[in-house]
Amino acid sequence: MNILRLPRSFLVIALLLVFSIIEMSDQPFEKKWDMDIVYIGNSITQGAQLAKPSEEAPPATASQYLRRQSGVGSVEFLNEGRSGFTTVDYLPSGNGVLKEVIDETRQFHKDSDRLLVFTISLGTNDSAEKGPTGSPVNPADYQKNLRIISDRLLAEFPKCKIVFLQPIWYSPNTYNSSKYMSEGLARLQSYFPELQSLVTHYSLTKPGHLFLGDLKGFAYFRNNYLTDLIPESGNAGTFYLHPNKKGANVLGRLWGEAIYESLFGQEASA
């Protein structure tokens, strides 16, 4: 068929269709979510002992990972990690730290069209035999404290999402004298079923708002502590607790994957 012999009107219509297809191909076919993420946690979230925590701490790496994912637009984050803090420290009180977090979140999250996400990674200090506020925290109280914290966040920000990030492994002699060696680590692991139970509870009372995120970090750091955690001196010799730059990058990636999977479901594994 000689295209030059076709009616001029047909050629015009064909060209218009081609241009429309080209224009449509430049436009996204899915809604992109802009996200504001508030990371609540302890020194691991804070990025303790890292040279540039604002760039190297897990929240920075997790947020950078999310920016590259399908369906995600801009991602801004607020690092609310505080060294040595437990779930007890974050319980609502008149002028407590949770009020500070809420006030700072209001200043940070001013556009209601953006998706507000809280991540909570607490438990490392709760599990200590002594020292941090309220420690040792038993498993039932650990769940209760997280529920109280979450209820307050949901009351203040009804549209928010909350992702619980399971605490990572630390060496059994962390925090403890030889008398209590390994009790803290065992206690930490007793919190894991409490997190699952809590998410199940919220799936019935607040469906679509609370999720259980990273479950891989504990095993990863147990197997790679010599290369990914910082050796520190303690009462019972050298212990391993805080991620180094490499470990913080790995943990941030695991957090980012968990957040994305929680919020985007099956799309995350596509």
Side-chain angles (χ1 to χ4, degrees), residues 48-67:
Q49 303 193 41
L50 294 174
K52 298 178 180 179
S54 62
E55 301 173 10
E56 299 172 353
T61 305
S63 300
Q64 184 60 31
Y65 170 85
L66 287 166
R67 293 184 184 107

Side-chain angles (χ1 to χ4, degrees), residues 81-225:
R82 286 167 166 78
S83 182
F85 274 41
T86 66
T87 58
V88 178
D89 288 301
Y90 279 99
L91 288 174
S93 62
N95 292 308
V97 67
L98 189 60
K99 182 180 184 302
E100 293 180 16
V101 171
I102 290 170
D103 290 344
E104 291 175 13
T105 299
R106 292 196 185 285
Q107 292 299 313
F108 166 66
H109 176 69
K110 293 184 176 181
D111 184 351
S112 60
D113 289 334
R114 296 175 65 87
L115 179 63
L116 176 61
V117 181
F118 290 94
T119 72
I120 301 178
S121 181
L122 292 167
T124 301
N125 296 306
D126 296 66
S127 68
E129 188 64 30
K130 60 181 179 179
T133 306
S135 65
V137 176
N138 67 53
D141 285 338
Y142 174 75
Q143 182 189 141
K144 177 182 177 182
N145 293 346
L146 285 177
R147 179 167 50 80
I148 292 172
I149 295 166
S150 300
D151 285 347
R152 180 60 179 273
L153 292 175
L154 288 167
E156 297 287 342
F157 306 98
K159 294 182 179 180
C160 78
K161 310 288 186 181
I162 299 175
V163 181
F164 296 115
L165 301 169
Q166 183 175 280
I168 64 173
W169 180 93
Y170 59 74
S171 61
N173 61 329
T174 303
Y175 297 125
N176 303 317
S177 67
S178 57
K179 177 181 177 181
Y180 298 109
M181 195 173 294
S182 82
E183 287 189 15
L185 186 61
R187 187 177 297 111
L188 181 73
Q189 293 174 86
S190 74
Y191 296 159
F192 298 168
E194 301 298 330
L195 287 172
Q196 182 62 67
S197 176
L198 190 59
V199 170
T200 300
H201 162 76
Y202 279 112
S203 70
L204 300 175
T205 61
K206 291 284 185 179
H209 282 274
L210 285 98
F211 308 90
L212 182 56
D214 174 48
L215 302 178
K216 300 176 182 177
F218 185 90
Y220 177 84
F221 287 98
R222 180 186 59 205
N223 296 331
N224 297 278
Y225 69 94

